[in-house]
Amino acid sequence: MPKTPSTSVRNPFDKPVWALAIHGGAGAIPKGDPAEAAYRASLDRVLAAGARRLEAGDSALDVVESLVRLLEDDELFNAGKGAVLNEKGEAELDAAIMDGATLRAGAVASVKTVKNPVTLARAVMERSPHVMLVADGAENFASSVGVERVPNAYFVTERRRKQLQQELARRKTSAAPAPGPARSGTVGAVALDRSGHLAAATSTGGMNAKMPGRVGDAPIIGAGTFADETVAISCTGAGEQFMRHHVAGGVALRMEHLQETVDAASSYYVRDVLAPGDGGLIAVDARGNAALPFNSPGMFRGVADSTGRFDVRIWEN
Ligand code: ASP
């Protein structure tokens, strides 16, 4: 059983029968920030919950949905409660989930009243004939299938209101793009279960002070989220860049067609394709190998597997 909390203690000869990675967004708090302990505690708690469930034999799909829900409910992260706000001061949420064994996928974008967008994404996958629903259509569907809705004010925190005001003020004097931390905190989970199945899920409020209606990479299957029988991927960072370069799908294609390892395929995008500062991704393959590369100042992340690996990090090391 994995330890909690700790860093890696691992027998290199063991082969994982399950594996799990989570992220809480690219871009980090400064080293020494008083919030560090809270972020670490949250990531530890979520990673441990996933490790317990995978150890007990739960499916990768159930585990990634439940872990993303926990992160959506935690206002530290830019997803669900505590999401960043659009220019009008509203939370506008995107999420996706994908089942690697069947290639079934579900996604929602620009929802403003769905407490856990990842659960609505799963309902789109399992209870509609479609892969993606957006805005009012997605919210009406939530009501019709009994997925919980809340007023938009539920998501809005003082911290995000301040970040919005700072960004709107900054734009009056500068045309430069927003610095990284303003968009940190997107959440994601990828898992391999004991049956050898993979799944991925991602959820986000997108970018601070985004235009109303802007949709990022997280809910776009193949851009910010993807899973097949080889690998499961969840991305975080400058969404427009991940969409242009088809990052999540590209990792899977390189592994399948170039026989690259999960590490090589993920690093190719993060080091050679994306620009420095764009972000990172988490990936787990069908053998239980994990890769968590990023090119931002940090990435909130954790990785665990059945060999006893259990590791939560924010910065490079
Ligand atoms: N990728 C997300 C988006 O562009 C934001 C993030 O991961 O920080 O919506």
Side-chain angles (χ1 to χ4, degrees), residues 27-43:
I29 50 174
K31 283 195 179 164
D33 191 292
E36 177 183 344
Y39 277 105
R40 284 191 188 277
S42 181
L43 292 169

Side-chain angles (χ1 to χ4, degrees), residues 229-252:
E229 287 185 314
T230 305
V231 63
I233 303 123
S234 170
C235 301
T236 172
E240 282 69 7
Q241 285 287 82
F242 286 80
M243 288 191 268
R244 284 183 190 109
H245 296 294
H246 177 239
V247 173
V251 169

Side-chain angles (χ1 to χ4, degrees), residues 47-200:
L47 191 65
R52 268 195 307 274
R53 293 192 57 169
L54 287 165
E55 179 68 23
D58 284 4
S59 76
L61 193 63
D62 284 347
V63 170
V64 296
E65 183 199 351
S66 69
L67 301 191
V68 167
R69 281 180 68 100
L70 290 174
L71 293 162
E72 285 175 339
D73 291 344
D74 185 335
E75 65 178 62
L76 285 174
F77 299 103
N78 171 19
K81 188 166 181 63
V84 299
L85 307 176
N86 69 16
E87 279 173 348
K88 285 168 58 187
E90 299 164 320
E92 227 183 311
L93 311 167
D94 303 336
I97 191 164
M98 187 158 185
D99 178 21
T102 60
L103 295 184
R104 287 183 313 159
V108 296
S110 293
V111 294
K112 296 181 187 169
T113 63
V114 176
K115 181 163 179 271
N116 291 104
V118 71
T119 292
L120 183 58
R122 185 161 179 182
V124 171
M125 175 172 100
E126 292 179 336
R127 301 173 70 182
S128 89
H130 305 301
V131 167
M132 182 183 245
L133 292 177
V134 306
D136 291 355
E139 291 179 340
N140 293 337
F141 176 69
S143 295
S144 71
V145 293
V147 170
E148 186 176 359
R149 296 180 65 185
V150 289
N152 196 258
Y154 161 81
F155 301 107
V156 180
T157 60
E158 199 41 43
R159 170 178 170 226
R160 298 304 189 187
R161 240 195 226 123
K162 266 194 203 131
Q163 279 181 354
L164 171 64
Q165 268 141 27
Q166 279 162 4
E167 172 57 15
L168 295 178
R170 194 192 64 83
R171 283 182 190 172
K172 289 193 180 132
T173 57
S174 165
R183 58 173 156 70
S184 68
T186 289
V187 307
V190 292
L192 168 72
D193 64 26
R194 285 180 173 276
S195 311
H197 295 151
L198 291 155

